[in-house]
Amino acid sequence: IVSEYRAQKSDPYRIRITVGGDQIHYAGETFTPNADITTSKVLFNSVISTPNAKFMTIDIKDFFLTTPMEQAEYLRINAKYLSPEFRTAYNLNEKIHSDGYIYCKVKKGMYGLKQAAVLAYENLIKNLAPFGYAPIPNTDSYWAHKTNPTKFCLCVDDFGIKYFTKTDLNHLINALQ
């Protein structure tokens, strides 16, 4: 359980439950391409040097948390960390095992899962393909549209976007939604 105070957020008091990724064995690939500084500079220089090009950033909220997983993982939470009010509000008292833990099935990406980033990336490829977006071959997370000049680089859940028209930008935003 991670608690933070982040003054810049609309709700600055943040509590997150993370999966103990160091405790879970995952045999699949976990590497996810992320834009490095060189890729980012190529995009920035391209925006600066191209007449009428514009730049925008987008952050996908809960990018990892909304990704479905083909195979569920499991975690346990010691009930002593959950207040009686919280346990009552969510009917958790009846779910407390005799060992004092609540056992949870994880069916979507979650902070701490080794595979969360790669599953989110693969899901992004699948979901953006019908809209004409795909990673540019031989690059780390540099994407382009098939017919319009929109390009973007992706670093975790942050997009740096080069676009020319509001229509093209809205096309990408709608595709991401």
Side-chain angles (χ1 to χ4, degrees), residues 13 26 31 38 41 59 84 89 103 108 111 113 119 121 137 142 146 153 161 163:
Y13 300 97
Y26 181 72
F31 171 78
T38 303
K41 284 181 177 181
D59 180 316
Y103 291 83
K108 290 190 176 184
Y111 300 113
L113 282 176
L119 292 175
Y121 185 79
Y142 197 30
K146 286 181 194 174
C153 64
I161 305 161
Y163 69 99

Side-chain angles (χ1 to χ4, degrees), residues 8-153:
Q8 74 276 19
K9 299 288 186 176
S10 59
D11 181 2
Y13 300 97
R14 303 168 66 84
I15 303 288
R16 292 189 177 168
I17 295 176
T18 62
V19 175
D22 60 330
Q23 303 295 313
I24 294 176
H25 175 71
Y26 181 72
E29 179 62 57
T30 59
F31 171 78
T32 306
N34 276 296
D36 60 12
I37 192 69
T38 303
T39 305
S40 300
K41 284 181 177 181
V42 167
L43 180 67
F44 300 147
N45 287 332
S46 174
V47 172
I48 292 167
S49 64
T50 307
N52 302 314
K54 297 174 178 71
F55 181 80
M56 179 175 177
T57 61
I58 292 177
D59 180 316
I60 296 185
K61 181 176 174 31
D62 299 333
F63 184 51
F64 299 131
L65 304 180
T66 58
T67 302
M69 296 176 14
E70 288 183 21
Q71 184 168 340
E73 296 283 1
Y74 297 86
L75 67 90
R76 67 184 187 163
I77 302 170
N78 194 317
K80 72 180 181 182
Y81 296 122
L82 305 175
S83 71
E85 297 83 8
F86 185 86
R87 292 196 312 251
T88 300
Y90 292 96
N91 299 317
L92 297 177
N93 288 318
E94 63 198 42
K95 295 181 177 31
I96 300 173
H97 192 267
S98 60
D99 63 2
Y101 286 90
I102 298 173
Y103 291 83
C104 306
K105 185 175 187 177
V106 179
K107 300 190 306 186
K108 290 190 176 184
M110 196 168 172
Y111 300 113
L113 282 176
K114 294 176 184 177
Q115 67 269 39
V118 71
L119 292 175
Y121 185 79
E122 289 169 356
N123 197 42
L124 184 68
I125 290 173
K126 181 182 81 174
N127 290 332
L128 289 184
F131 295 94
Y133 297 94
I136 298 171
N138 303 315
T139 66
D140 283 337
S141 218
Y142 197 30
W143 294 55
H145 189 269
K146 286 181 194 174
T147 58
N148 74 41
T150 303
K151 292 188 174 38
F152 65 84
C153 64

